[in-house]
């Protein structure tokens, strides 16, 4: 793996030695105001909001992070960049075989990459990383999807291999509609052959086993059916918390965020974790007024305030870190004991949190 000058720099004032064990870091992409085609990558301490590392001036594109690696898919490029912030190393690998269309080159190859979704995951209890590529020929009307997989083994011989396609198309249009947990990639389903704006009722979750490189033959049921929900599908999310898959449900009728943790994948068993009132995480909310029209989705909110909060991680003390993206990006820490939050850091309008990890797990020396 070649060395690169784009090392994740130490932030001003950050210690040069290893940070305290278990420090929880968020990986953020902040759009560069001087160059709209660049983003600045930031490592943020989730508990304090302190900037502990940065890698500024990266080309815009898709970003993934897990276990201490960052995978970058630059826009309109046919190569991936795998970054190791701890060492500063960068590896360039092809973004796919582009064999779904024979003799694909140039513009057509870049178009195929733009129609692909990538997932970076790590096999539990190993140092093996894998990248799953899901190619959707027509993003507006999903009919079929094809998959490839690549192992990041550090040897430099990176070859994409054909992988099993999902039994039914999965929804890759929104990042929070998929998550990696305990070696499985999970996606909400998309209705076969229908417009992406009608991507189904999300009663089933497809799961891809990274170790076996195959999709589970049966769907994982969601913890609550569509008939039990007071929301539109864009108010549902899948996230990974403490290594477990978590189903997130924004209930705009009762003004609360419900969290279910997957307890047993084989049995499809979920455990209710939390029911958090909107006002305990987001600004501008009050007690629900039952006389008002039912709100089913965030876009129907008619008053000023924050409309969506996504859980990112659980800290060592049990507090839950949330990312509140609209109208201004902010990191909040919710305390289950006090049922209140503290505002950790404001990140501005044009920012996205795309990864997380603990320094004790990956050996950062920022």
């Amino acid at each position: 793996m070649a060395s690169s000058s784009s090392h994740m720099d130490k932030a001003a004032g950050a210690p040069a030695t290893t940070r305290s064990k278990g420090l929880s870091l968020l990986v953020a992409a902040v759009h560069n105001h001087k160059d709209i085609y660049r983003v600045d990558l930031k490592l943020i301490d989730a508990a304090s909001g302190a900037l502990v590392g940065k890698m500024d001036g990266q080309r815009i594109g898709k970003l993934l992070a897990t276990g201490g690696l960052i995978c970058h898919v630059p826009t309109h490029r046919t190569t991936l960049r795998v970054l190791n912030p701890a060492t500063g190393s960068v590896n360039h690998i092809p973004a796919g075989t582009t064999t779904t269309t024979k003799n694909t080159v140039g513009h057509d190859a870049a178009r195929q990459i733009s129609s692909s979704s990538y997932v970076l995951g790590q096999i539990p209890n190993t140092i093996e990383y894998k990248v799953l590529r899901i190619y959707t020929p027509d993003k507006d009307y999903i009919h079929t999807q094809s998959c490839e997989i690549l192992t990041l083994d550090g040897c430099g011989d990176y070859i994409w291999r054909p992988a099993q396609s999902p039994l039914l198309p999965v929804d890759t249009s929104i990042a929070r509609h998929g998550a990696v947990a305990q070696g499985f990639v999970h996606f909400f389903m998309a209705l076969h052959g229908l417009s992406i704006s009608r991507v189904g009722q999300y009663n089933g979750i497809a799961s891809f086993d990274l170790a076996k490189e195959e999709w589970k033959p049966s769907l994982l049921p969601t913890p609550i059916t569509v008939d039990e929900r007071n929301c539109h599908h864009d108010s549902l999310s899948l996230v990974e918390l403490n290594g477990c898959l978590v189903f997130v449900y924004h209930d705009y009728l009762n003004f609360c965020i419900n969290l279910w943790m997957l307890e047993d994948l084989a049995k499809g068993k979920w455990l209710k974790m939390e029911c958090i009132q909107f006002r305990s995480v987001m600004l501008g909310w009050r007690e629900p007024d039952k006389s008002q029209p039912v709100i089913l989705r965030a876009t129907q909110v008619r008053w000023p305030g924050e409309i969506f909060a996504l859980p990112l991680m659980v800290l060592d003390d049990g507090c839950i870190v949330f990312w509140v993206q609209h109208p201004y990006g902010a990191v909040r820490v919710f305390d289950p004991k006090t049922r209140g939050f503290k505002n950790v850091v404001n990140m501005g309008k044009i920012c996205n949190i795309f990864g997380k990890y603990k320094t004790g797990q990956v050996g950062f020396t920022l």
Side-chain angles (χ1 to χ4, degrees):
M1 214 177 251
S3 177
S4 170
S5 60
S6 57
H7 194 292
M8 184 70 82
D9 300 323
K10 299 167 190 169
T17 57
T18 302
R19 305 284 293 191
S20 59
K21 184 178 181 181
L23 182 69
S24 299
L25 298 179
L26 302 175
V27 191
V30 183
H31 280 257
N32 192 309
H33 294 292
K34 297 180 181 179
D35 185 348
I36 62 173
Y37 299 105
R38 301 279 173 176
V39 294
D40 299 332
L41 305 186
K42 311 289 185 182
L43 283 178
I44 308 295
D45 179 357
S48 69
L51 175 66
V52 298
K54 61 182 180 178
M55 189 183 290
D56 292 345
Q58 303 300 304
R59 186 178 295 274
I60 61 171
K62 303 169 185 176
L63 291 157
L64 313 163
T66 191
L69 292 182
I70 296 174
C71 184
H72 179 210
V73 189
T75 302
H76 304 310
R77 297 296 179 94
T78 57
T79 57
L80 306 177
R81 297 169 66 231
V82 180
L83 318 174
N84 187 327
T87 65
S89 62
V90 180
N91 200 29
H92 297 265
I93 60 178
T97 64
T98 65
T99 55
T100 47
T101 300
K102 292 183 178 180
N103 302 319
T104 301
V105 294
H107 175 74
D108 289 337
R111 180 180 56 80
Q112 280 202 16
I113 299 308
S114 68
S115 298
S116 298
S117 296
Y118 295 85
V119 181
L120 174 64
Q122 187 176 17
I123 309 300
N125 303 317
T126 75
I127 58 173
E128 188 176 53
Y129 295 85
K130 292 186 178 181
V131 181
L132 175 66
R133 176 197 179 205
I134 303 177
Y135 171 60
T136 305
D138 188 341
K139 283 195 170 184
D140 292 327
Y141 289 88
I142 298 178
H143 294 279
T144 60
Q145 291 171 320
S146 59
C147 297
E148 293 181 314
I149 196 162
L150 178 145
T151 301
L152 301 175
D153 55 10
C155 298
D157 187 19
Y158 301 113
I159 300 174
W160 288 95
R161 305 181 299 278
Q164 180 187 22
S165 296
L167 300 179
L168 293 171
V170 296
D171 180 21
T172 61
S173 62
I174 301 176
R176 56 184 171 79
H177 285 176
V180 183
Q182 298 180 350
F184 284 85
V185 183
H186 303 277
F187 286 101
F188 283 128
M189 300 302 300
L191 279 185
H192 182 72
L194 290 183
S195 167
I196 199 64
S197 64
R198 299 172 58 198
V199 285
Q201 303 299 335
Y202 293 90
N203 277 331
I205 298 169
S207 304
F208 183 85
D209 188 331
L210 286 170
K212 295 181 179 180
E213 300 186 359
E214 63 185 23
W215 294 89
K216 286 184 65 64
S218 59
L219 296 180
L220 172 67
T222 57
I224 52 174
T225 67
V226 64
D227 296 330
E228 299 172 288
R229 303 174 196 155
N230 302 308
C231 71
H232 189 267
H233 65 254
D234 62 3
S235 299
L236 302 176
S237 305
L238 294 174
V239 301
E240 177 269 321
L241 296 180
N242 275 11
C244 298
L245 180 68
V246 173
F247 179 93
V248 184
Y249 159 43
H250 281 64
D251 184 347
Y252 287 95
L253 176 61
N254 296 301
F255 293 7
C256 61
I257 303 171
N258 296 278
L259 307 180
W260 278 268
M261 179 184 69
L262 181 62
E263 195 171 36
D264 190 317
L265 175 59
K267 297 179 180 178
K269 184 179 179 182
W270 298 86
L271 177 67
K272 183 72 172 287
M273 288 176 59
E274 277 282 358
C275 178
I276 303 171
Q277 293 297 315
F278 284 173
R279 65 179 184 277
S280 296
V281 180
M282 298 185 289
L283 300 176
W285 290 88
R286 54 186 183 273
E287 289 287 346
D289 184 352
K290 299 296 185 179
S291 67
Q292 296 298 313
V294 174
I295 299 172
L296 297 181
R297 58 193 304 184
T299 53
Q300 292 177 322
V301 176
R302 299 302 184 193
W303 58 86
E306 297 163 339
I307 59 176
F308 198 87
L310 192 68
L312 299 175
M313 64 171 60
V314 180
L315 300 178
D316 294 339
D317 60 3
C319 292
I320 303 174
V321 179
F322 279 85
W323 171 241
V324 183
Q325 191 164 9
H326 300 289
Y328 303 102
V331 176
R332 304 265 168 78
V333 175
F334 167 76
D335 189 336
K337 297 177 181 177
T338 64
R339 313 306 294 180
F341 72 85
K342 75 171 181 178
N343 198 67
V344 173
V345 63
N346 293 322
M347 299 296 296
K349 286 186 177 181
I350 311 177
C351 174
N352 186 44
I353 304 291
F354 67 90
K356 58 191 179 181
Y357 28 68
K358 290 182 181 292
T359 56
Q361 298 171 347
V362 297
F364 269 85
T365 55
L366 297 173

